[in-house]
Amino acid sequence: MGAEVNAQSYTREQRQRYREKVRQNLDVFERMLTTSSFEFDKPMTGLEIELNLVDDHQQPHFHNAEVLEAIADPGYQTELARYNIELNVPPRPLPGDSALELEVDLRASLNAADAAAKRVGSTIVAIGILPTIMPEHYEGDWISRNNRYTALNDSIFLARGEDVYLDIEGPTGERVATYCDSIAPESACTSVQLHLQVAPHEFANHWNAAQAMSSVQLALAANSPYFFGKRLHAETRIELFTQATDTRPVELKNQGVRPRVFFGERWITSIFDLFEENVRYFPTLLAEVTDEDPMAKLEAGIAPELAELRLHNGTVYRWNRPIYDIVGGTPHLRVENRVLPAGPTIADVLANAAFYYGAIRVLASADRPVWTKMSFAACEENFRRAARDGIEARVYWPGFGEVSADELVLRHLLPMAHEGLKAWGVSDAVRERYLGIIEGRATTGLNGSEWQTRTVAHFEAEGHDRREALRLMVERYAHHMSGNEPVHTWPVP
């Protein structure tokens, strides 16, 4: 959810001053792109994993402050709701056996965190949407104690002027249609974010490639079929996040005003396109103003923080978000890929990451890139189909026409990912382990969403009602998750 803020509400004057600073920041950023040196000689990758807390009955456990105190590791932080936490993984280079080492480190970290959480009555579950979350869970004190979350909630509802209406229907007609008086349902959307550091002149190609890849990522990794007890989309998180943070009343939707959760509307030629769109189209939500004079800093040879621009950028929820950051006084740029759900296992998470980093390397460097042969509208339609249908989705891809996502992976994108990882200098052992998991998922047709759906159907066939079937499924899911065997190998009851 981003950095903490100092206030929970803002005056009109603060908002006006903030807008002025954002525009000033944007002008300075444009100048930096042509005059400044950005760090990219040794591209780094980063990872964030959002997690859920459940009690002994697999219900959401609203005690993240106590859990974080017990974990006592700065890598774990709060998230929007009190049953969420987030694990931030320090950046590291891709080459060699780095991913295998990361898997060992992450499993050890999560095992230690889960043992600490259990001391205060919680179990950690990595899943796209916690299936046992129900409307009544948001009636109490659900929001984490953090100014940013309260300010964000209040600002979204101030902009809307009315309650949020959620309306999502699944393939069998199950439907959630309800009003919400807070952004609490957004907290149900727990994801994995992949970061890739890129050079300014290469950013557009990498962002365009990430957009093209996003549908296939979703289809293969879908892990969020249930919300409020209903079987909805294979990756319900996409539509739920879009609706739960929507600042537009119906009239603005009818006028074609863009949503805060924004896929985009065109291929880009520069990272500046994205930042400029964010400033042009999206009103302020969090109006925190600093004393920085970014132009004076730049002229003094110091990289400016551009805090206002970065804060604003963090309240526009692109599925592939541009990032400007500074480390050790040197600025750099990243593509933040926000498509993937959390879980099911660390092995699955790293397989998803390896597939993404490998394929995007080749897609971004192609002589005739895929986005020159596919309309942006077709790319967005692929994304929506993948979210709805998961591993059974059919997508359009140049040279293949309309093709099933699993076939596209096996025939085209998986060999590409092998080639890309080899170009990154990734070891054969890493490629075989993680891309082997992607191949297994594509050949079996079993991802997290499919496993959840089939398991719940089994328990319902045994005579359990939906809530009990979901509880039993989450119990079994947590057991398999801790074993770290990839989801396509999990037995379906």
Side-chain angles (χ1 to χ4, degrees), residues 32-48:
M32 290 181 70
L33 290 174
T34 59
T35 63
S36 296
S37 296
F38 287 81
E39 174 63 49
F40 59 89
D41 290 339
K42 296 180 180 178
M44 303 289 282
T45 61
L47 179 68
E48 302 169 52

Side-chain angles (χ1 to χ4, degrees), residues 77-91:
Q77 300 176 3
T78 59
E79 254 296 331
L80 177 57
R82 293 174 61 224
Y83 67 96
N84 305 137
I85 59 174
E86 180 178 88
L87 170 58
N88 292 291
V89 182

Side-chain angles (χ1 to χ4, degrees), residues 10-320:
Y10 305 95
T11 65
R12 293 192 299 274
E13 291 77 13
Q14 284 174 310
R15 291 181 180 278
Q16 183 175 347
R17 174 63 180 143
Y18 178 80
R19 179 187 285 116
E20 293 168 355
K21 280 295 296 284
V22 168
R23 291 185 180 280
Q24 181 190 33
N25 283 184
L26 185 65
D27 291 342
V28 172
F29 181 62
E30 183 176 27
R31 182 170 167 180
M32 290 181 70
L33 290 174
T34 59
T35 63
S36 296
S37 296
F38 287 81
E39 174 63 49
F40 59 89
D41 290 339
K42 296 180 180 178
M44 303 289 282
T45 61
L47 179 68
E48 302 169 52
I49 307 174
E50 296 168 352
L51 304 161
N52 294 279
L53 304 174
V54 300
D55 63 18
D56 290 341
H57 303 286
Q58 285 69 56
Q59 304 304 304
H61 198 229
F62 290 81
H63 292 276
N64 64 358
E66 296 91 331
V67 167
L68 290 171
E69 184 178 359
I71 293 173
D73 181 339
Y76 292 84
Q77 300 176 3
T78 59
E79 254 296 331
L80 177 57
R82 293 174 61 224
Y83 67 96
N84 305 137
I85 59 174
E86 180 178 88
L87 170 58
N88 292 291
V89 182
R92 61 177 67 200
L94 265 172
D97 286 331
S98 179
L100 294 173
E101 296 160 5
L102 178 59
E103 181 176 1
V104 173
D105 292 347
L106 285 179
R107 274 312 323 162
S109 175
L110 269 179
N111 288 343
D114 194 47
K118 282 181 165 60
R119 294 198 292 271
V120 293
S122 279
T123 295
I124 295 174
V125 179
I127 196 166
I129 293 177
L130 182 62
T132 51
I133 194 76
M134 297 294 169
E136 60 267 24
H137 290 128
Y138 293 132
E139 292 172 2
D141 185 12
W142 65 271
I143 197 166
S144 291
R145 287 168 176 79
N146 181 303
N147 282 340
R148 182 187 177 97
Y149 306 141
T150 301
L152 196 59
N153 181 76
D154 294 349
S155 294
I156 286 174
F157 277 82
L158 179 66
R160 279 186 64 86
E162 60 189 53
D163 286 352
V164 167
Y165 183 56
L166 301 179
D167 189 0
I168 309 172
E169 185 172 341
T172 61
E174 293 189 43
R175 181 184 179 197
V176 167
T178 185
Y179 284 95
C180 303
D181 61 1
S182 75
I183 62 169
E186 181 194 339
S187 70
C189 306
T190 43
S191 64
V192 166
Q193 287 114 48
L194 303 176
H195 292 254
L196 179 62
Q197 187 177 325
V198 296
H201 68 278
E202 295 178 341
F203 186 93
N205 280 10
H206 281 83
W207 187 85
N208 291 339
Q211 291 286 97
M213 271 283 293
S214 59
S215 58
V216 185
Q217 285 182 277
L218 264 190
L220 266 288
N223 195 30
S224 314
Y226 292 98
F227 179 63
F228 281 179
K230 306 294 185 182
R231 170 54 166 94
L232 303 175
H233 298 174
E235 190 51 40
T236 304
R237 184 179 55 90
I238 300 300
E239 188 62 28
L240 177 58
F241 191 58
T242 301
Q243 295 187 21
T245 57
D246 201 344
T247 57
R248 307 167 302 165
V250 172
E251 293 79 7
L252 292 185
K253 288 184 186 179
N254 293 341
Q255 292 174 37
V257 171
R258 296 157 182 82
R260 299 296 293 206
V261 177
F262 190 40
F263 186 79
E265 56 193 16
R266 62 189 175 110
W267 306 115
I268 66 167
T269 58
S270 165
I271 186 175
F272 185 78
D273 295 349
L274 301 178
F275 279 101
E276 196 269 339
E277 279 184 354
N278 289 355
V279 174
R280 182 194 300 175
Y281 296 142
F282 298 101
T284 297
L285 289 182
L286 305 175
E288 292 279 320
V289 179
T290 69
D291 294 329
E292 179 183 64
D293 183 338
M295 186 61 75
K297 268 194 167 182
L298 184 60
E299 290 177 346
I302 302 169
E305 294 289 335
L306 305 184
E308 290 82 6
L309 183 64
R310 291 162 69 189
L311 179 61
H312 184 64
N313 186 55
T315 64
V316 179
Y317 303 103
R318 294 179 182 271
W319 295 109
N320 287 291

Side-chain angles (χ1 to χ4, degrees), residues 45 89 325 396 411 454 468:
T45 61
V89 182
D325 206 352
Y396 169 77
R411 289 177 56 192
R454 296 181 199 180
E468 179 62 9

